[in-house]
Amino acid sequence: MRKLTLFIVSDSVGETADLVAKAAASQFRQDLETVSMKRFSHVEDESQLREIAYLAKQQQAIIIYTLVKSCMRKKIKEECQLNGLKCVDLLGPIVNEIGNALEEKPFEEPGLVRQLDEDYFKKIEAIEFAVKYDDGRDPRGVLKADIVLVGVSRTSKTPLSQYLAHRRFKVANVPLVPEVDPPEELYEIDPQKCFGLVISPNVLNSIRKERLIALGLKDDANYAQIERIKQELDHFQKVVSKIGCKVIDVSNRAVEETANLILAEVTNRHL
């Protein structure tokens, strides 16, 4: 049975070319035992290409490459022609077509797709974190979070957590209720990563009434009474004073505005 050697050449990790080569080879050999693949990753200069071409000639290999720099693609094609080698450019034709369609020049920077993937997975991880540690479900999340939000009910803690999660921050939020002691973890964290969300009694009264009506309940429940709201806000002030965290008034702010204030604060602290 005839054997085949494929050289996978990339200026990054080489996963893309490796997967495509395996997919193509699987159409001929299901076990792939007779098709050997050798990956050459992070190829950055032309001298490496000459060495790879020399080895490929010795082993009668086909070179399959994903090189983002046009000069490197040109060089490996030249080396293959000089050595009588067959080669397949997986990336160049696609990059050229996209560049022509957009009327733009490519960055020609290796590894950008991996950066995009890593950024995507960080966002997904942050979103899952926000769901898991929403509404004080598990106080252990307070210690793991990048940002911790505290406030009374209906101060937009959950939507704010999700908004910040889409910016790749792991956020835990904790509701404050007079009858329930706050988790001890709130007093163990760095106060700078905690933000208290305060709101005016009248605005909160209106929000809670609307919430009750939406649930099909009467709007005169204790939950929406001004006295009850003031009691909760007094409790909130005691807790955030003990934590020593920054307090943001969300009374007349959209979630995006509050999030931008928090992000500005976090960014400035890391400068």
Side-chain angles (χ1 to χ4, degrees):
M1 186 178 288
R2 187 172 181 178
K3 294 187 178 182
L4 174 66
T5 300
L6 301 177
F7 277 18
I8 308 300
V9 182
S10 175
D11 44 23
S12 186
V13 179
E15 288 180 347
T16 300
D18 192 68
L19 286 170
V20 172
K22 284 179 180 176
S26 69
Q27 295 298 311
F28 302 92
R29 305 286 169 82
Q30 290 297 316
D31 55 12
L32 296 182
E33 288 181 3
T34 56
V35 180
S36 63
M37 298 189 187
K38 296 184 180 180
R39 192 190 300 190
F40 298 83
S41 303
H42 303 292
V43 177
E44 298 176 350
D45 58 64
E46 295 184 358
S47 63
Q48 291 174 283
L49 296 178
R50 284 193 292 271
E51 292 173 7
I52 292 168
Y54 174 79
L55 290 173
K57 186 175 183 180
Q58 298 293 314
Q59 300 179 35
Q60 295 184 320
I62 296 175
I63 294 179
I64 299 173
Y65 58 96
T66 51
L67 298 167
V68 298
K69 293 183 179 179
S70 55
C71 62
M72 293 288 279
R73 294 199 299 271
K74 181 181 178 182
K75 181 63 180 176
I76 197 169
K77 188 175 285 187
E78 289 174 354
E79 290 294 330
C80 287
Q81 289 173 345
L82 286 172
N83 289 279
L85 297 168
K86 294 180 180 179
C87 62
V88 180
D89 181 2
L90 292 180
L91 203 59
I94 301 173
V95 170
N96 291 337
E97 287 299 329
I98 292 174
N100 291 335
L102 295 176
E103 297 183 351
E104 294 178 14
K105 291 184 178 180
F107 296 122
E108 296 198 346
E109 184 179 336
L112 287 182
V113 68
R114 288 186 63 81
Q115 292 178 28
L116 289 172
D117 287 344
E118 288 171 8
D119 185 66
Y120 171 77
F121 286 116
K122 282 181 181 177
K123 182 188 292 186
I124 295 300
E125 185 181 3
I127 292 170
E128 290 176 346
F129 186 97
V131 171
K132 183 176 181 179
Y133 297 110
D134 181 47
D135 209 32
R137 290 175 186 168
D138 186 346
R140 291 175 297 181
V142 171
L143 300 176
K144 302 175 185 177
D146 300 317
I147 297 171
V148 178
L149 306 175
V150 295
V152 301
S153 175
R154 312 311 298 174
T155 49
S156 299
K157 296 184 298 300
T158 295
L160 184 55
S161 295
Q162 285 295 322
Y163 187 95
L164 293 168
H166 277 80
R167 302 294 293 271
R168 296 168 297 286
F169 287 94
K170 293 180 179 178
V171 186
N173 72 76
V174 180
L176 298 180
V177 185
E179 294 77 15
V180 180
D181 291 332
E184 286 300 318
E185 286 84 354
L186 280 179
Y187 305 118
E188 297 173 12
I189 62 172
D190 180 353
Q192 289 196 329
K193 76 174 186 178
C194 183
F195 294 86
L197 308 178
V198 73
I199 190 169
S200 77
N202 290 332
V203 172
L204 186 54
N205 172 253
S206 177
I207 292 172
R208 287 189 175 181
K209 281 185 174 181
E210 289 178 9
R211 176 61 176 166
L212 289 171
I213 293 171
L215 292 172
L217 303 172
K218 293 182 178 180
D219 65 358
D220 59 352
N222 187 47
Y223 174 72
Q225 295 295 319
I226 284 289
E227 288 305 314
R228 170 61 186 183
I229 289 172
K230 288 181 178 179
Q231 182 187 359
E232 290 185 30
L233 291 174
D234 286 342
H235 174 68
F236 164 84
Q237 291 295 345
K238 290 175 183 176
V239 173
V240 294
S241 294
K242 186 175 180 181
I243 297 172
C245 64
K246 183 178 180 63
V247 175
I248 299 175
D249 191 335
V250 299
S251 300
N252 297 302
R253 284 196 173 98
V255 169
E256 294 84 352
E257 292 178 273
T258 305
N260 287 335
L261 287 174
I262 292 173
L263 290 172
E265 192 77 22
V266 172
T267 302
N268 289 335
R269 288 169 184 169
H270 287 85
L271 291 179

